[in-house]
Amino acid sequence: MALAEVPAVLILVGLAAYVVFAGADFGAGLWYLLAGPGRRGRAIRDFSYHAMAPVWEANHVWLIFVLVVAWTAYPTAFGSIASTLALPLFVAAVGIILRGTAYALRSGAPQDRETEGATGFVFGASSILTPLALGAAVGAIASGRVPVGNAEGDLVTSWLNATSLLIGALAVATAGYLAAVYLAGDAVRERKPELARAFRVRALAMGLVAGALAVGGLVVLREDSRPLFDGLTSGAGLAAVLVSALVGLVTLALVRAGRYEPARFSAALAVAAIVAGWGIAQSPDLLPGLTIEDAAAGRSTLWALLISIAAGLVILVPSLALLYGLVLRGRFDLGAPAGQEPPQPQATRGARGLAAAAVTLLVVGVALTLFADGIALAIGVLSLVGFIALGAIEFLR
Amino acid sequence: MTIDLPAQLLAAALPPVEQEHLLEARQMQALSFAVHIPLVCFGIAFPSMVLLVESLYLRTGDELYRTLAKRWSKVMIALFAVGVVTGTILSFEMGLLWPNFMATFGDVFGLAFGLEGFSFFVEAIFIAIYVYGWDRMSPRLHLLSGVPVVVAGLTGSLFVISVNAWMNNPSGFRLEDGRAVDVEPWDALFGSAHLWPELTHMYLAGLIVAGFLVAAAYAWGWLKGRRGRYERIALAVPLTVAALAAPVQVVAGDWIARRVADDQPTKLAALEGLGTTTRGAPIHVLGWYDDGEVRYGIEIPKLLSLLAEHDPNATIRGLDAVAPDYRPPVNIVRVAFQTMVGIGTLLAVLGVVHLATWFRRRRFVESRWFHWAVVAAGPASVVALIAGWVATEVGRQPWVVYGVMRTSAAVTGADGVPVGYATLVVVYLGLGFAVAWILRRLAGRPLELPPEPPPILEAHGAR
Ligand code: HDD
Ligand code: HEM
Ligand code: HEM
C-alpha cells in the first residue's frame, strides 16, 4: 500500500468505529423515541439512556478523528466535500448539538417528569436526524456527486437522491440494530429478563429491516450509481459484501438464540465489512477525477500524521479498553458494589517554607518573564506556574 | 513575514469564489467560538479544582470535601457534554465556512487537530471513569483516574492553540501557485514563537474564568446568607486558584504583547491605535481612534516603546505602514483590547487583596463589598476572555493566515450562510437556556452532608 493510501484506510477504520460505537448510541436514542412518552415505555427509555451515559462522549470522538484525518491528509478533497455538502453536514452538526444538550438536560434532572417529554423527543429525533444526514453525505461522495472545487457540486441534489437516501436509511437502521443487540446483552447482564426480551425482538426486527434495505439497495445502486454498484459486485468489493451478509445472518441467529455477547462482535464485524466494501469499490478515486494519490498531502505531513496517530493509539487503546471493560463488567451499573472504606486522615505534613518558596518563585518569575529571553524566559514562565501550584497548596492547606 | 506580498503570491488551492455573505460567515465563526471558549475554560480548570478538593478529602478523611468534589464533578460532566458538542460544531464549521482555508493549509496545521483528537479521547474516557466511578473504586485509584483529565485539558489547549499561533505567525511551508508545498508540520506548529505565550495566556485565562465564575456563585450565596462550612470551602478553592492566576496573567499579557510587536506590527498598531510610525510612541488609555489618532484618551508618553521594545525611544510601526485595505478595523480591536487589559488589571488587584488577607489571617475578607466584587469578577472575566479573542482574531484581519491568505479567499462558495447563521443563533439560545437550567437543577439538589456535630458538643469541644 502506498503511503498516500494509509490515511484513507485509517479514515475507513475510524468511520467503522464510529458506526459501531457511536452508531449504537444513536440507536439507543431511536429506541428511546419509539418507546413513546407514556409510562409504559419508561423502562425502555431509562435503560437505553443509562446504557450510553458513560461512553457516548468517547464514542463521539471517532467522528472528530475522521474529520481531522480527512482534512490533514486530503485537504482539497475535504474542502470540496465540506462546501458542496454544507447542508447535510450542517444538519448533522445541529443534530449533534441538540442531542448532546438534551442528553445533558436529562442527566441534570432524571426525576423531572414534566420536562422529560420535550427533551426526550429532541433527544430521540436528533438521534435519527444525525445518522440520516451523515449517511446522505456519504451517499453523495460514494455516488460521485461531489466534484473538486469550492461548492462546485449541486448544493441540493448532491445529497438528495436515491443513493443518499438509501445510505441514510441504512445508517439509521444499522444504528437501531446495533443498539438493540448491545442493550439486550446489557439487560441480561443486569438480570432484567423482560428488557432482554424486548430488545431481542427489536434486534431481530431491525436486523431484518437493515438486511432488506441492503439487498433492495443494490437495485437502487444499479440504477443510480453504476460505478459503485460494479465495485461492490466484483472482486474484493464483492467479497466484502458477502462477508458482511454472511456475518449478518450469523448475528441474527446468535440473537435468536439469546447469545448476545458473541452477537455484539459479529454485528460489529458485519458493519466493518460493508464500510471496507465501500472503500474498495471507490478506490482509487476519492472524488470524480481526483485519485487518492493526487489528493494526498505531502510526504512529511503524511508521516507526521501517521506517527502521531501511532503514538496516540498507544495511549488510546488501553484507555478505551479500560473504559469498555469497566462498562461491560457492569461496574457502572446502578447498584453495582461500592468501593472501599473511606481513607484514614493523615497528619498534615509540615510545609512552612512553602509560602516563602511561592513568593520567591513569583519574584523570579516576574523578573525573568518581563526582561529575559530564551531559556531564562522559559525558566521565568515555569516559575510563575510553580508559584500558582505552590500557592494553591499553601493557601488551601 | 512581510505583509506586502504581491497578490498572485497569495495562497488558495481552490479557485476563488464570490461570497456576498462573508461578514455573516465571520460572525457565525465568532459566535461559535464565543460559545465554546468559556466552556473550554471549565474543561481546563475545573478538573484540577475537583481533584484538589478530593485530595483534601484523602488527606483529612473529612466527608465534606468528598461531597463537594462529587457535586462539582456532576457539574463538570454536564459542562463537558456541552463543550463537546460546541467543539464539534467548530470542527464542522472549519470546513463548512472556510473550505479553501482547509484545502490550502489543512496539511500544514491538521496534525495539531489530530493530536488534539487524541487528547479529547483521553479526556472523554477518563472523565467518564472519574464521574461514574465514585464509590466504585478505592479512593486513591479514583483520584488517580482524574489526573489524565487534567493532563488532557492541557495538551488539548496546547494543540489547538498551536493552530491559532500558526495562523498569527505562519511558517513551515512554501507557496507555489497558491498551494502550500515543502510542508514541515512539526516546525509549523511547534516551532512558532507565538505558541508558548499564547498557550500560557490562554491557560491562565482558563483558571481565571472558571475560578471566578464558580467563586461568583458561592459569593452570591454568601450575600444571600448561605455561609456554612461547605459554602466557605466551596468559595475558597476557586477563589484562591483565580486569585493566584490573575496577577500572573498581567505578566503573561506583557509577554504576548511583545510577541505581537515582533510578529504582527500592524496588529499592535491597531491594539494601541497608533496611526503613524512613531519614535518614542505613547500609550493612550480610553479614548476613540479617529482619522489616524486617538482622541479624548489619556496619553502616557513613550510607554508603548518602553513596553514593546524595552527602550523608551524605540520606533514603533504605525498603521500607515500598510495600505488601508490591509488594516484591521481599529476601534473594534482597540476597544476589545482596552477592555481586556482594564478588567485584567482589576482582577489582579482583587486577587492580591484576597491572597494577602488569606495569607495573614487565614480567612476571607468578611465584607459585603468584597463578595460583591467577586460576584462581578465572574462575568467580567468572561468579558475579558471574549475581548481578548476579539482583539486577537479581528486584529489579524484582513488575513486569516497572517500575510499569506486573506479571509475573503478562504470563505465557502455555498449559499445559505445567513440561514445557517440564524439557525445557529436559535440553537445557541436554546443551549444557553438549557445550561442555565441544568446548573440550577444541580445546585438545587439537597446537600448530602455528613451530620454535623450538634452545636452543644461543638461548644464543649472548643471549650
Ligand atoms: C481572563 C481573561 C484575560 C485577562 C484577564 C487578560 N487576557 Fe489577554 N487575552 C485573553 C484573555 C485575557 C485571551 C485568552 O482571550 C487571549 C486571546 C488569544 C490568547 O492567547 O489569549 C488574549 C490575548 C491577548 C493579546 C493578543 C495576542 C495576539 O494577538 O496573539 C494581548 C496583547 C494580551 N492578551 C494582553 C493582555 C494584557 C496586557 C493583560 C493584562 C492586564 C491581559 N491580556 C489580561
Ligand atoms: C482557543 C481555542 C480552543 C481551546 C483552548 C479548546 C480546548 C478544548 C477543550 C479543553 C475541550 C474539552 C471539552 C471541554 O472540556 O469543554 C474542547 C472540546 C472540543 N473542542 Fe475545543 N478548543 C478551542 C477551540 C476549538 C477549535 C478551533 C475547534 C475546532 C476546530 C475545537 C474543537 C473541539 C472539539 C471537537 C471538542 C470536543 C471534544 C470531544 O468530543 O471530546 N475547539 N476544546
Ligand atoms: C485555535 C483556535 C482558533 C482558530 C483555529 C480560529 C480560527 C478562525 C478562523 C478560521 C476564522 C475566520 C477567518 C477570519 O476571520 O480570520 C476566525 C475568525 C474569528 N475568530 Fe477565531 N479561531 C480560534 C479561536 C478563537 C476564539 C477562542 C475566539 C473567541 C471568541 C475567536 C474569535 C474569532 C472572531 C471574533 C473571528 C471573526 C474575525 C472577524 O470577522 O473580523 N477565535 N477564527
Side-chain angles (χ1 to χ4, degrees), chain A residues 133-175:
Chain A
L134 289 176
V138 167
I141 302 169
S143 59
R145 289 186 164 98
V146 180
V148 178
N150 189 343
E152 276 298 305
D154 191 300
L155 294 181
V156 176
T157 59
S158 58
W159 57 274
L160 201 60
N161 55 65
T163 304
S164 287
L165 290 181
L166 169 73
I167 298 186
L170 200 57
V172 176
T174 309

Side-chain angles (χ1 to χ4, degrees), chain B residues 100-126:
Chain B
N100 210 2
F101 171 54
M102 305 308 289
T104 315
F105 292 113
D107 53 347
V108 184
F109 62 74
L111 176 66
F113 282 111
L115 290 165
E116 202 201 6
F118 284 104
S119 295
F120 291 154
F121 261 127
V122 169
E123 195 163 357
I125 291 170
F126 284 95

Side-chain angles (χ1 to χ4, degrees), chain A residues 53-65 67-68 71-72 75-76 78-80 82-83 85-87 89-90 92-94 96-98 100-101 103-105 107-112 115 134 148-151 155 297-298 300-301 304-305 307-309 312-313 315-316 319-320 322-323 326 331-349 355 362 365-366 369-372 377 381 384 387-388 391-392 394-397, chain B residues 13-15 17 28 52 56-61 63 77-78 80-82 84-86 88-89 91-92 94-96 99-100 102-111 113-115 117-118 120-122 124-129 132-133 135-140 179 182-186 200 204 207 236-237 240-241 244-245 248 251-252 254-255 258 310 355 358-359 362 410-415 419-421 423-424 427-428 430-431 434 437-438 441-442 445:
Chain A
V55 289
W56 76 269
E57 277 143 332
N59 293 344
H60 174 76
V61 184
W62 285 111
L63 179 62
I64 312 292
F65 175 85
L67 286 179
V68 299
W71 79 42
T72 311
T76 34
F78 180 83
S80 309
S83 52
L85 297 181
L87 249 141
L89 292 178
F90 185 71
V94 170
I96 288 169
I97 287 211
L98 291 179
T101 314
Y103 165 83
L105 270 176
S107 68
Q111 271 82 41
D112 200 88
T115 51
L134 289 176
V148 178
N150 189 343
L155 294 181
S300 52
T301 297
L305 181 69
I307 290 170
S308 58
I309 290 178
L313 285 177
I315 298 171
L316 177 63
S319 308
L320 274 179
L322 179 66
L323 177 67
L326 286 169
R331 290 297 295 272
F332 294 161
D333 295 348
L334 295 173
Q340 282 153 14
E341 291 299 293
Q344 294 305 310
Q346 296 158 13
T348 331
R349 261 159 275 140
L362 178 64
V366 169
T369 309
L370 286 184
F371 299 111
L377 174 62
V381 175
L384 290 176
F387 159 73
I388 295 179
E394 157 64 23
F395 281 98
L396 299 172
R397 199 149 45 88
Chain B
L14 303 176
V17 292
M28 191 166 156
L52 201 67
L56 286 174
Y57 163 61
L58 283 186
R59 236 191 38 208
T60 61
E63 284 287 325
I77 197 157
F80 181 72
V82 185
V84 167
V85 292
T86 54
T88 305
I89 289 284
S91 308
F92 275 81
M94 298 293 274
L96 292 179
N100 210 2
M102 305 308 289
T104 315
F105 292 113
D107 53 347
V108 184
F109 62 74
L111 176 66
F113 282 111
L115 290 165
F118 284 104
F120 291 154
F121 261 127
V122 169
I125 291 170
F126 284 95
I127 213 168
I129 295 179
Y132 292 92
D135 307 328
R136 308 281 159 86
M137 11 174 154
S138 81
R140 223 161 249 293
R179 285 164 186 274
D182 296 341
V183 176
E184 296 298 338
W186 298 110
T200 311
L204 290 172
L207 295 178
V237 173
T240 305
V241 168
L244 285 163
V248 175
V251 183
D254 172 74
W255 183 23
R258 272 180 287 128
H310 287 164
L355 291 181
W358 187 261
F359 185 56
R362 292 246 128 223
V411 72
T412 180
D415 302 329
V419 179
Y421 183 30
T423 314
L424 264 196
V427 169
Y428 282 138
L431 187 80
W437 188 81
I438 298 166
R441 288 287 305 204
L442 287 173
R445 278 177 324 167

Side-chain angles (χ1 to χ4, degrees), chain A residues 387-388, chain B residues 37-46 48-49 199-217 235-253 339-352 355 373-386:
Chain A
F387 159 73
I388 295 179
Chain B
I37 204 73
L39 294 159
V40 167
C41 293
F42 278 88
I44 287 177
F46 215 13
S48 341
M49 296 197 293
L199 174 67
T200 311
H201 200 62
M202 177 64 216
Y203 199 82
L204 290 172
L207 295 178
I208 293 173
V209 169
F212 276 127
L213 275 180
V214 178
L235 174 56
V237 173
L239 184 56
T240 305
V241 168
L244 285 163
V248 175
Q249 181 74 312
V250 178
V251 183
T339 307
M340 167 178 62
V341 176
I343 293 176
T345 311
L346 294 176
L347 293 179
V349 172
L350 185 65
V352 170
L355 291 181
V374 175
V375 170
S381 59
V382 179
V383 173
L385 174 79
I386 306 286

